Amino acid sequence: MIMFTSHQDVSSSNDKASLETTFHSWKARYGELAAALIGGGLTAIGWLLEQRLYSVAVSFFILSYAVGGYAKAKEGLNTLVHERDLDVNLLMFAAAIGAAAIGYWTEGAILIFIFSLSGALETLTIERSSRDISALMDMKPEKAIRCLEGAQETVPIQELRIDDIIIIKNGERIPADGIVMEGTSSVNQASITGESIPVDKAAGDPVFAGTLNGEGALYVKVTASSESTLFAKIIRLVQDAQSEMPKAERFMQRFERIYARAVIGITSSLIVLPPWLLGWSWTDALYKAMVFLVVASPCALVASIMPVMLSAISNGARKGLLFKGGAHLESISSVKAIALDKTGTLTIGKPAVTDIIAFAPLNKDELLKIAASIETMSTHPLARAIVDEAESKGIRLERCLDFQAMTGRGVQGNVLEQTWTIGKPSLFEKEARQQGIFEEIEKLQQGNTVVVIGQAGTVIGAIALQDRIRPEAAPMVEKLKTLGVSVVMLTGDQKLTADLIASQAGIGRIYAELLPEEKLRIVKQLKNDYGSVAMIGDGVNDAPALATATVGIAMGGAGSDAALETADLVLMNDDLLKISFAIELGRRMKKVIKQNIIFAAVVILFLIASNFISGIPLPLGVLGHEGSTILVILNGLRLLR
Ligand code: ADP
Ligand code: MG
């Protein structure tokens, strides 16, 4: 959106700005359609006048060529000048001018009218899909955590002011430019430098909006306000649909250029050779060559893919599926296996504390206070649960320094001048055995996720938590099986808890107690076994696996920024049932593209052959050619529903 901030007269300049943006968006959406229709109107007038007032009619035709053909001719000339290549736009313009040259003004004008109409339809689809995608932004407004006298407060990033202190947790995007005040971490700055090796940051170092925080937590003083949100960035990427085109579309673009050259070559020889070799008259040869040029132009082929893809992306967007490009729809259609993360993906990701054990010297509340103070810095669902529990008991939290996440294992931090570690029980197995509390912790793990709190080689307590499975998890697994997709569960959690959730979801194949790099290894293995694998996850720990999978899918609501950035598809409303919808949508897209290409190719071949065998009149050629183009586009628009 365009924002003007004039100091004297904010309101009226805003009105003007919004008027201007309305006009621009209207022009982008309907400009081409209006030009096509006006061109069509001028053509109709020309046609009515042709018999009586020929010269007046011709001026109407010339006008209709100019109005209707302007946008397409510009595209064609651009390709010619900048890429020194021919495309279908130029072919159509050449055909229309050729038709006019032999006196077939009406046919030429109709050619341009329908061609520009099909172009306008395509632009409308692009507009539609980018609007549907933008609407997704409202589903996840981006927030920052502001630090005010020790308390944390979540605010929309637009409300950040210069000199605010913000906390950036592990795996989160940095919401604004700033300077590190406290904490150490490594930050992936690939989004601005292109270099993906993380850069170490400590007090005094600058950090930049849009870069991705690693394992540590940082206190940052804001130096510039920011309006660039993660979704704004993703959406810009998606609207630039060219960035991730399906293979078929990339092939079609190369094909179009080569084919266009061949058509021009054949057309020129059709004009020159028959009069020379067969003694045809020039007008006969020119006529046949023009018919050839019209029917051989690959408009319908070129229009076979993009409108289908854009309609499918649009359709997905309205159901909360943010595809970062048409290529991913293509790959999800042929997925053979899906790997699902447990915490936050199969489960709601809002666990609740069910039990606390405290060993001397701390009591339960003191233990919870320490644990929660550290977990305020973490983005993990378990961390949120522990903080919520402390807050519900009215426990005042302490400041945590030197926070470090050990992704997939636990966290570490300094509270009340001592360093504590909280994480999976296996981190403390040796200590627990020595202290003779191993059995007690193991018993707690029956159906619970347990985290152990330790300090300097001693276990001082454990917290048991329970998460609920998403109600749609079991129906989703069922649906995926009917689609012929195998389902596997990957989790960093303990075996016992993993088994319980897996049996509730109906998943037979489970890998538990995985570290992030092991998740990645298993996804690679699955890719070897099945060929094409999707991975669904929410956490920082899932990001490497999401990147490796054929299609990485992130939970939009529960997901960490790291997962959202790496994924190819974001489930904005966290509805797992939409996964099978996405697969079916991808399959439908592929089917419709195939139909279109076959239909377009058959029509072209049939018309070319008829023209050579018996000759066809130019109006019929125009009708067959343009009719098939429009049909192919309309067929593609079916995917909007
Ligand atoms: P999942 O793969 O199921 O999403 P993770 O890999 O994120 O699980 O976590 C694996 C295990 O690591 C958790 O079950 C927990 O024991 C431990 N862990 C991870 N992060 C934290 C944290 N912030 N606080 C305590 N324990 C954690
Ligand atoms: Mg998870």
Side-chain angles (χ1 to χ4, degrees):
M1 206 173 81
I2 305 167
M3 296 270 279
F4 290 120
T5 41
S6 135
H7 288 291
Q8 318 91 13
D9 199 357
V10 179
S11 69
S12 91
S13 84
N14 270 350
D15 284 352
K16 208 175 131 212
S18 77
L19 248 174
E20 251 170 70
T21 37
T22 321
F23 175 70
H24 278 295
S25 65
W26 187 90
K27 199 177 141 202
R29 210 176 297 166
Y30 301 114
E32 261 187 83
L33 186 65
L37 293 178
I38 294 171
L42 293 166
T43 305
I45 299 175
W47 178 70
L48 287 174
L49 294 177
E50 205 182 4
Q51 302 304 323
R52 276 162 285 163
L53 292 162
Y54 187 74
S55 53
V56 183
V58 166
S59 36
F60 273 102
F61 285 134
I62 292 176
L63 265 179
S64 83
Y65 270 46
V67 176
Y70 174 74
K72 287 291 182 181
K74 205 167 106 184
E75 266 180 58
L77 284 176
N78 257 334
T79 315
L80 186 69
V81 173
H82 297 297
E83 296 168 44
R84 299 181 179 282
D85 221 332
L86 299 170
D87 65 10
V88 67
N89 300 303
L90 221 59
L91 286 190
M92 291 321 289
F93 226 70
I97 289 175
I102 52 175
Y104 287 86
W105 280 101
T106 320
E107 284 75 9
I110 289 177
L111 200 62
I112 287 190
F113 166 55
I114 305 188
F115 187 59
S116 57
L117 193 65
S118 71
L121 274 179
E122 209 161 313
T123 307
L124 273 180
T125 338
I126 295 179
E127 264 294 307
R128 170 74 187 264
S129 76
S130 64
R131 251 182 313 142
D132 284 338
I133 292 165
S134 304
L136 288 177
M137 253 213 295
D138 305 332
M139 295 176 78
K140 190 165 170 144
E142 206 151 334
K143 300 277 174 61
I145 303 164
R146 185 157 57 189
C147 204
L148 262 185
E149 289 144 18
Q152 295 187 5
E153 170 196 35
T154 310
V155 294
I157 70 164
Q158 291 80 357
E159 276 176 30
L160 288 183
R161 296 288 167 263
I162 291 173
D163 288 342
D164 277 351
I165 304 287
I166 52 176
I167 301 178
I168 296 146
K169 300 184 180 181
N170 62 310
E172 291 202 317
R173 250 174 60 104
I174 293 172
D177 291 351
I179 303 234
V180 178
M181 305 306 286
E182 260 177 64
T184 54
S185 187
S186 57
V187 173
N188 180 338
Q189 306 195 138
S191 61
I192 48 173
T193 60
E195 174 58 69
S196 60
I197 297 170
V199 183
D200 287 332
K201 299 282 180 185
D205 290 338
V207 289
F208 306 101
T211 55
L212 202 56
N213 186 22
E215 308 276 87
L218 298 171
Y219 286 86
V220 167
K221 185 155 103 182
V222 176
T223 53
S225 60
S226 158
E227 272 161 30
S228 86
T229 63
L230 171 61
F231 277 93
K233 183 183 136 199
I234 293 180
I235 280 157
R236 233 176 297 123
L237 260 173
V238 183
Q239 290 173 340
D240 236 6
Q242 314 296 339
S243 62
E244 291 288 344
M245 278 186 294
K247 271 194 249 96
E249 174 67 14
R250 259 173 294 159
F251 170 78
M252 192 57 80
Q253 283 199 344
R254 254 175 297 141
F255 171 80
E256 178 190 340
R257 304 292 167 87
I258 298 168
Y259 185 91
R261 265 180 269 171
V263 170
I264 289 285
I266 297 176
T267 308
S268 331
S269 38
L270 278 179
I271 299 173
V272 179
L273 293 182
W276 186 40
L277 297 174
L278 305 169
W280 289 16
S281 76
W282 283 103
T283 15
D284 278 356
L286 203 57
Y287 186 84
K288 228 178 168 87
M290 279 313 122
V291 178
F292 172 80
L293 181 57
V294 170
V295 301
S297 289
C299 298
L301 277 177
V302 169
S304 287
I305 300 171
M306 278 303 264
V308 188
M309 189 192 95
L310 292 168
S311 306
I313 290 186
S314 241
N315 188 339
R318 271 175 289 126
K319 307 223 160 50
L321 297 168
L322 176 59
F323 280 98
K324 297 193 196 161
H328 308 305
L329 261 159
E330 192 181 38
S331 16
I332 203 172
S333 69
S334 53
V335 151
K336 298 283 182 307
I338 290 197
L340 285 146
D341 164 60
K342 181 181 75 72
T343 321
T345 303
L346 271 173
T347 66
I348 294 176
K350 288 201 179 73
V353 173
T354 52
D355 216 343
I356 300 177
I357 311 178
F359 304 108
L362 300 182
N363 67 29
K364 284 189 188 185
D365 279 358
E366 286 164 336
L367 185 84
L368 186 60
K369 178 186 182 122
I370 304 275
S373 300
I374 296 173
E375 296 285 22
T376 47
M377 308 305 272
S378 167
T379 41
H380 201 277
L382 294 176
R384 252 173 282 162
I386 293 172
V387 175
D388 287 350
E389 177 73 10
E391 275 173 359
S392 74
K393 289 195 170 156
I395 295 174
R396 232 189 68 100
L397 300 184
E398 299 294 331
R399 199 167 149 91
C400 168
L401 298 173
D402 299 328
F403 174 88
Q404 234 21 77
M406 305 171 285
T407 305
R409 273 165 299 173
V411 294
Q412 204 166 49
N414 188 305
V415 172
L416 298 174
E417 278 152 33
Q418 295 184 53
T419 298
W420 314 81
T421 303
I422 312 176
K424 51 167 78 176
S426 58
L427 285 177
F428 293 98
E429 191 175 329
K430 203 181 77 206
E431 290 85 349
R433 282 187 199 280
Q434 277 168 2
Q435 289 169 246
I437 51 173
F438 183 76
E439 276 73 33
E440 195 174 345
I441 292 176
E442 197 158 62
K443 217 175 89 211
L444 201 60
Q445 285 185 44
Q446 311 271 340
N448 287 314
T449 296
V450 174
V451 299
V452 172
I453 299 126
Q455 186 207 18
T458 332
V459 174
I460 55 155
I463 300 177
L465 304 106
Q466 220 168 45
D467 201 354
R468 262 182 313 128
I469 186 165
R470 286 183 197 273
E472 72 272 17
M476 168 206 58
V477 173
E478 197 56 36
K479 187 85 216 284
L480 287 176
K481 285 181 183 162
T482 65
L483 288 174
V485 178
S486 309
V487 183
V488 178
M489 185 173 108
L490 311 182
T491 177
D493 204 352
Q494 299 110 31
K495 186 89 175 61
L496 281 172
T497 330
D499 284 344
L500 187 76
I501 297 285
S503 73
Q504 287 172 3
I507 299 175
R509 208 163 143 193
I510 312 156
Y511 296 88
E513 292 172 47
L514 299 174
L515 295 176
E517 57 273 21
E518 294 170 322
K519 284 192 176 180
L520 180 141
R521 188 174 50 77
I522 290 169
V523 167
K524 272 192 184 151
Q525 185 59 46
L526 290 170
K527 257 171 100 176
N528 265 337
D529 299 346
Y530 290 94
S532 182
V533 174
M535 160 86 195
I536 314 176
D538 67 309
V540 187
N541 59 327
D542 300 316
L546 289 176
T548 319
T550 323
V551 188
I553 306 171
M555 305 297 279
S560 64
D561 291 344
L564 295 177
E565 279 223 39
T566 4
D568 306 311
L569 163 61
V570 180
L571 286 185
M572 295 300 289
N573 43 22
D574 287 356
D575 179 0
L576 290 174
L577 284 173
K578 290 289 162 10
I579 306 265
S580 51
F581 175 79
I583 295 177
E584 286 168 326
L585 188 65
R587 290 185 182 173
R588 268 175 70 205
M589 178 183 96
K590 259 168 95 170
K591 202 170 97 192
V592 172
I593 288 180
K594 207 154 130 197
Q595 281 170 359
N596 277 354
I597 291 181
I598 292 176
F599 173 73
V602 166
V603 171
I604 290 178
L605 289 175
F606 175 76
L607 290 175
I608 292 180
S610 319
N611 185 39
F612 275 119
I613 296 166
S614 59
I616 45 177
L618 189 56
L620 191 66
V622 170
L623 193 74
H625 172 83
E626 296 295 1
S628 61
T629 309
I630 297 273
L631 276 182
V632 156
I633 293 180
L634 292 179
N635 192 34
L637 295 186
R638 281 196 305 145
L639 276 196
L640 281 173
R641 277 189 296 126

